[in-house]
């Protein structure tokens, strides 16, 4: 049995071992963080090739060469279309183009950050006035190192309202002209961004041309651009056909940062299908409902196109017409409430059922004389009452006439039974099968008059 001192020393040893392991883990983490910092410091952010290397990749060059050949008409287009196949070159080209379009957008965003970091010394307010990366690159190319923006023509780049704001802000900016080396880097970055945007336009042009062949129904219903974006994000038409409608609805949705602004008018789940004609022609209050409908239809059409059920695209056109009719139906006002006019009252007495059955029913449910007297009241005379528990029951005219005693006798209602009921009642009462009632003193013996005379003589 260990003593208290020994157990205390053992706990101290465990604590020392745990602290050693924690120190070793912290050293490993510090070493990893130091390696990351060294990599960041060694990275040359003054060079555009260090941050943007998509155009130099072999994949980019190969896909763009195939896109150029396809647009020039060097590929065969006479094959009879049945359904998209993973090995089909046209289908694979469209999937690669969609993925490359996403990579181009990311690359343009990186180049935009590079331009802002370098051009901020010249015009720091420009990034808050021109938000689109391509417009920012065009403005930077147009302005350059010019300090007086009245000498720069921006009519082909920005709208008039934005040009006026940029010109006024540039007249009061605190920026300084850039050095020739820095300005050249910014100009090169802007040229690369514009070139990437042109390549993306070519890719989208090819995709729009081929989507009517790859997904004819989906392209007819929501448009070639929306269909291409959905297929690109999903990773192909086969993968898109396997998605549920609720996921297709939110494909391409981005979280909006509205710091300081109201979120009352913002609608969630605005994916690629919000750019379709059906949703754009729908009032804002019904777009959420319309997006769910379009997402469900896109799933059905993608499954039809994935297995080549209708290469002509007639199913997509029919569904698009159906969706538009539903949206129009939603916008119709509710039907007015119609008040039904009461019929003209008939003054003629209605025919009532008569006969024996009606008389029997009337006798069975009719009021007795006693109940009728209890329901009557004499004028200017208070009726007598009695208390039955918590209820007070009035007697009406009962006992009001004569000496005060009850003159009305409660008579049993006469009710004739049918032959069947009478027979049943007699059998139950006397145990006889016949309907006639028999007494307990009666006998089944019968005597003739002669026998009666003989019996009387014997008794005498």
């Amino acid at each position: 049995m260990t003593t208290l001192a020994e157990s205390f020393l053992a706990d101290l040893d465990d604590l020392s071992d745990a602290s050693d392991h924690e120190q070793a883990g912290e050293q490993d983490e510090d070493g990893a963080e130091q390696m990351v910092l060294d990599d960041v410091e060694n990275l040359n952010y003054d060079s555009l090739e260090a941050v943007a290397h998509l155009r130099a990749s072999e994949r980019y060059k190969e896909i763009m060469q195939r896109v150029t050949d396809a647009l020039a008409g060097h590929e065969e287009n006479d094959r009879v279309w049945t359904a998209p196949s993973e090995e089909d070159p046209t289908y694979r080209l469209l999937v690669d183009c969609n993925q490359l379009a996403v990579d181009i957008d990311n690359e343009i965003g990186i180049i935009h950050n590079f331009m802002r970091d370098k051009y901020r010394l010249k015009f720091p307010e420009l990034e808050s006035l021109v938000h689109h990366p391509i417009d920012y690159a065009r403005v930077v190319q147009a302005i350059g190192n010019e300090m007086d923006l009245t000498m720069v023509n921006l009519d082909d780049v920005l709208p008039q309202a934005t040009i006026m704001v940029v010109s006024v802000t540039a007249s009061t900016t605190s920026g300084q002209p850039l050095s020739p080396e820095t300005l050249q880097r910014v100009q090169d970055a802007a040229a690369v961004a514009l070139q990437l945007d042109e390549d993306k336009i070519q890719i989208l042009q090819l995709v729009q041309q081929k989507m009517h062949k790859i997904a004819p129904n989906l392209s007819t219903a929501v448009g070639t651009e929306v269909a291409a974006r959905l297929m690109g994000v999903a990773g192909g038409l086969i993968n898109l056909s396997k998605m549920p409608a609720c996921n297709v609805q939110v494909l391409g949705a981005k979280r909006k940062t509205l710091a300081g602004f109201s979120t009352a008018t913002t609608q969630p789940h605005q994916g690629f299908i919000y750019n379709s004609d059906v949703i754009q022609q729908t009032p804002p209050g019904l777009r959420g409902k319309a997006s769910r409908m379009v997402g469900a239809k896109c799933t059905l059409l993608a499954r039809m196109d994935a297995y080549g059920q209708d290469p002509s695209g007639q199913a997509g056109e029919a569904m698009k017409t159906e969706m538009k009719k539903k949206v129009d139906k939603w916008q119709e006002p509710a039907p007015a409430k119609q008040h039904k006019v009461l019929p003209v009252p008939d003054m003629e007495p209605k025919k009532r059922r008569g006969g024996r059955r009606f008389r029997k029913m009337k006798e069975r449910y009719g009021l007795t004389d006693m109940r009728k007297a209890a329901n009557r009241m004499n004028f200017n005379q208070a009726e007598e009452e009695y208390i039955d528990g918590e209820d007070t029951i009035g007697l009406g005219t009962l006992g009001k006439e004569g000496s005060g005693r009850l003159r009305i006798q409660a008579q049993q209602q006469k009710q004739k039974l049918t032959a069947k009921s009478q027979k049943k009642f007699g059998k139950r009462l006397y145990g006889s099968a016949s309907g006639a009632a028999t007494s307990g003193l009666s006998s089944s013996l019968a005597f003739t008059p002669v026998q009666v005379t003989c019996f009387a003589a014997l008794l005498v």
Side-chain angles (χ1 to χ4, degrees):
M1 182 176 180
T2 60
T3 61
L4 181 62
E6 291 177 354
S7 62
F8 182 70
L9 291 175
D11 293 338
L12 289 178
D13 294 337
D14 295 338
L15 291 174
S16 62
D17 294 339
S19 62
D20 294 340
H21 288 300
E22 291 178 358
Q23 291 178 1
E26 292 177 356
Q27 291 178 0
D28 295 339
E29 293 178 358
D30 295 340
E33 292 178 357
Q34 185 65 32
M35 291 176 62
V36 172
L37 291 176
D38 293 342
D39 294 340
V40 172
E41 291 177 357
N42 293 331
L43 188 62
N44 185 12
Y45 283 104
D46 291 337
S47 175
L48 180 62
E49 290 77 9
V51 294
H53 46 77
L54 178 63
R55 294 181 72 248
S57 62
E58 295 295 333
R59 169 173 167 269
Y60 180 85
K61 296 178 181 178
E62 178 185 358
I63 295 176
M64 289 307 303
Q65 182 63 36
R66 294 170 59 188
V67 169
T68 304
D69 296 340
L71 290 176
H74 296 164
E75 292 188 356
E76 297 181 359
N77 295 324
D78 298 333
R79 187 176 65 88
V80 178
W81 181 251
T82 56
S85 175
E86 297 292 339
E87 292 79 13
D88 183 69
T90 305
Y91 179 73
R92 293 305 312 167
L93 177 60
L94 290 182
V95 174
D96 294 340
C97 288
N98 289 322
Q99 296 176 355
L100 184 61
V102 176
D103 295 340
I104 288 176
D105 290 336
N106 298 333
E107 189 78 3
I108 290 176
I110 294 174
I111 296 175
H112 181 223
N113 293 332
F114 178 82
M115 287 189 297
R116 288 190 307 172
D117 293 339
K118 300 301 179 182
Y119 205 71
R120 191 174 293 158
L121 301 175
K122 166 67 174 59
F123 197 172
E125 296 86 2
L126 182 61
E127 59 185 80
S128 62
L129 301 177
V130 182
H131 301 281
H132 198 274
I134 302 302
D135 293 341
Y136 187 88
R138 291 172 180 169
V139 171
V140 168
Q141 272 192 341
I143 295 177
N145 241 357
E146 183 66 40
M147 299 301 296
D148 188 7
L149 293 190
T150 58
M151 307 297 295
V152 180
N153 185 15
L154 299 176
D155 295 337
D156 299 336
V157 181
L158 298 175
Q160 292 296 329
T162 308
I163 292 175
M164 183 176 62
V165 174
V166 170
S167 301
V168 172
T169 308
S171 61
T172 59
T173 184
S174 59
Q176 300 296 327
L178 299 177
S179 62
E181 295 81 6
T182 305
L183 180 61
Q184 185 62 37
R185 295 192 189 99
V186 174
Q187 296 286 354
D188 294 341
V192 172
L194 295 177
Q195 182 61 39
L196 288 174
D197 185 63
E198 292 180 0
D199 295 343
K200 181 183 175 182
I201 292 175
Q202 290 185 359
I203 291 174
L204 294 179
Q205 182 180 359
L206 174 65
V207 169
Q208 291 178 8
Q209 290 181 1
K210 300 297 183 180
M211 280 303 295
H212 284 294
K213 180 180 179 182
I214 298 297
N217 297 287
L218 185 61
S219 301
T220 305
V222 297
T224 55
E225 184 177 358
V226 176
R229 289 178 177 271
L230 290 175
M231 194 178 71
V233 174
L237 189 59
I238 303 296
N239 295 334
L240 181 62
S241 64
K242 297 178 181 179
M243 283 188 176
C246 57
N247 293 352
V248 174
Q249 176 189 351
V250 298
L251 285 179
K254 296 181 180 180
R255 185 184 299 273
K256 294 184 179 181
T257 56
L258 301 175
F261 294 93
S262 174
T263 59
T265 58
T266 58
Q267 295 183 357
H269 312 310
Q270 293 187 2
F272 291 140
I273 61 175
Y274 261 76
N275 298 325
S276 61
D277 297 337
V278 177
I279 298 182
Q280 291 299 320
Q281 296 173 3
T282 304
L286 298 174
R287 287 186 179 179
K289 188 176 181 180
S291 65
R292 292 189 290 270
M293 177 185 65
V294 174
K297 298 300 183 182
C298 287
T299 303
L300 296 177
L301 294 174
R303 292 169 184 173
M304 294 179 64
D305 293 332
Y307 300 99
Q309 294 184 4
D310 188 6
S312 63
Q314 295 180 359
E317 186 66 29
M319 282 197 178
K320 184 177 181 180
T321 306
E322 180 184 354
M323 288 188 290
K324 289 184 177 180
K325 288 182 179 179
K326 285 186 177 181
V327 173
D328 295 338
K329 184 68 175 178
W330 296 341
Q331 301 180 44
E332 292 180 358
K337 186 177 180 180
Q338 297 180 356
H339 298 280
K340 183 179 289 186
V341 181
L342 294 176
V344 178
D346 189 6
M347 302 306 295
E348 298 181 358
K350 295 182 180 180
K351 296 181 180 179
R352 297 183 180 273
R353 182 181 178 87
R356 185 180 61 175
R357 182 183 298 179
F358 181 74
R359 288 195 301 269
K360 287 184 177 181
M361 186 271 295
K362 195 172 182 180
E363 292 175 0
R364 187 179 297 113
Y365 296 104
L367 292 177
T368 60
D369 295 339
M370 184 177 179
R371 179 60 63 185
K372 291 178 181 179
N375 291 338
R376 292 191 182 99
M377 288 185 63
N378 292 332
F379 179 72
N380 201 18
Q381 291 183 6
E383 65 175 351
E384 295 181 3
E385 298 175 349
Y386 71 95
I387 299 176
D388 184 10
E390 297 181 356
D391 299 333
T392 303
I393 301 175
L395 298 178
T397 58
L398 290 176
K400 294 295 184 180
E401 298 178 357
S403 60
R405 64 184 180 88
L406 186 62
R407 292 183 179 275
I408 301 177
Q409 301 294 333
Q411 298 179 359
Q412 185 179 3
Q413 291 183 349
K414 296 181 179 180
Q415 183 176 357
K416 294 182 179 180
L417 300 177
T418 61
K420 184 177 180 181
S421 300
Q422 189 176 2
K423 182 179 180 181
K424 184 178 180 181
F425 179 75
K427 184 178 181 181
R428 184 177 59 186
L429 186 62
Y430 298 108
S432 175
S434 62
T438 58
S439 175
L441 300 177
S442 62
S443 176
S444 61
L445 297 176
F447 296 96
T448 63
V450 179
Q451 291 176 342
V452 172
T453 305
C454 294
F455 276 115
L458 289 175
L459 290 176
V460 173

